Amino acid sequence: MLNSLHFFRYLLGLAPALTQTTDAERACLRRHAQGKRRLVEIGVFHGVNTRAFREAMAPDGVLLAVDPFPRRFFGIRGYGWARRIAHREVARGGNGRVVWLECRGEEAPGRIAAQPVLPVDFVFIDGDHSYEGLRGDWLAWKSRVAPGGVVALHDSRQRDGCGSERFAQEVAVRDPDFERIDEIDSLTVLRRRA
């Protein structure tokens, strides 16, 4: 009920699209997405960051928006308020095109629609914040990032040891193929070495 109420308030302009990223994290993400041509966001939610990526990316860029968007309303499959908000929010952006992939992040690189976009030059991982969830996304995408490309990990630091923070600190930031280039709040940004 809360999701449907928020959706209708959003439609009326009484509530914004929601995000779990801070203002500082969004500014950092936008800076690293600027001018990129092949982008991926894992964990779209209401599309706030997706819209920002679309506005920042190259005019001819392609953005893969990856989210399973569970769609249930009182046990009935088919609604999906977050999906509806995300599509409306992202439509407000202007550059390039967005390819929607309704699946988990680790499944996305294998989808036919993703193939023409690989390798990518920007990935924002903000999906499943468990240790295993980030592990799956990291392993699926790290080799699909072009040399010099960027991977941004949300909830990867200052989160009291949550699963995604533990995986990021124990594995991702120690990966010899990547170097840490930025950190702000709970966000860690890595660049793939050439």
Side-chain angles (χ1 to χ4, degrees), residues 57-69:
M57 70 187 194
D60 61 343
V62 179
L63 170 59
L64 300 176
V66 181
D67 198 301
F69 287 118

Side-chain angles (χ1 to χ4, degrees), residues 70-73 76-80 83-84:
R71 289 186 249 168
R72 297 213 180 263
F73 183 64
I76 302 170
R77 184 163 168 70
Y79 282 87
R83 177 182 179 271
R84 292 172 184 225

Side-chain angles (χ1 to χ4, degrees), residues 45-116:
F45 188 43
H46 282 186
V48 172
N49 294 309
T50 322
R51 177 181 174 187
F53 297 146
R54 188 170 190 194
E55 292 169 350
M57 70 187 194
D60 61 343
V62 179
L63 170 59
L64 300 176
V66 181
D67 198 301
F69 287 118
R71 289 186 249 168
R72 297 213 180 263
F73 183 64
F74 291 112
I76 302 170
R77 184 163 168 70
Y79 282 87
W81 306 113
R83 177 182 179 271
R84 292 172 184 225
I85 291 172
H87 278 260
R88 286 176 177 270
E89 196 66 21
V90 174
R92 294 178 178 176
N95 286 329
R97 65 185 177 92
V98 177
V99 176
W100 296 88
L101 299 175
E102 291 192 28
C103 61
R104 294 188 339 255
E106 66 185 273
E107 299 166 344
R111 297 288 172 106
I112 292 171
Q115 298 306 303

Side-chain angles (χ1 to χ4, degrees), residues 22-174:
T22 66
D23 290 340
E25 289 170 341
R26 286 192 299 281
C28 180
L29 288 166
R30 189 178 186 104
R31 187 172 64 253
H32 288 289
Q34 192 68 44
K36 300 291 191 214
R37 296 189 67 239
R38 297 174 317 274
L39 302 85
V40 178
E41 179 184 22
I42 299 168
V44 172
F45 188 43
H46 282 186
V48 172
N49 294 309
T50 322
R51 177 181 174 187
F53 297 146
R54 188 170 190 194
E55 292 169 350
M57 70 187 194
D60 61 343
V62 179
L63 170 59
L64 300 176
V66 181
D67 198 301
F69 287 118
R71 289 186 249 168
R72 297 213 180 263
F73 183 64
F74 291 112
I76 302 170
R77 184 163 168 70
Y79 282 87
W81 306 113
R83 177 182 179 271
R84 292 172 184 225
I85 291 172
H87 278 260
R88 286 176 177 270
E89 196 66 21
V90 174
R92 294 178 178 176
N95 286 329
R97 65 185 177 92
V98 177
V99 176
W100 296 88
L101 299 175
E102 291 192 28
C103 61
R104 294 188 339 255
E106 66 185 273
E107 299 166 344
R111 297 288 172 106
I112 292 171
Q115 298 306 303
V117 183
L118 302 176
V120 297
D121 50 16
F122 178 89
V123 180
F124 177 43
I125 301 178
D126 190 22
D128 182 340
H129 292 200
S130 69
Y131 189 97
E132 286 302 316
L134 180 53
R135 180 181 181 275
D137 291 343
W138 176 258
L139 293 176
W141 283 98
K142 75 176 205 152
S143 65
R144 291 174 168 96
V145 176
V150 170
V151 178
L153 305 170
H154 194 235
D155 285 342
S156 58
R157 54 191 301 272
Q158 300 180 349
R159 290 291 187 206
D160 298 325
C162 73
S164 56
E165 178 186 13
R166 283 188 303 107
F167 181 85
Q169 298 305 316
E170 292 172 8
V171 179
V173 300
R174 296 179 183 187

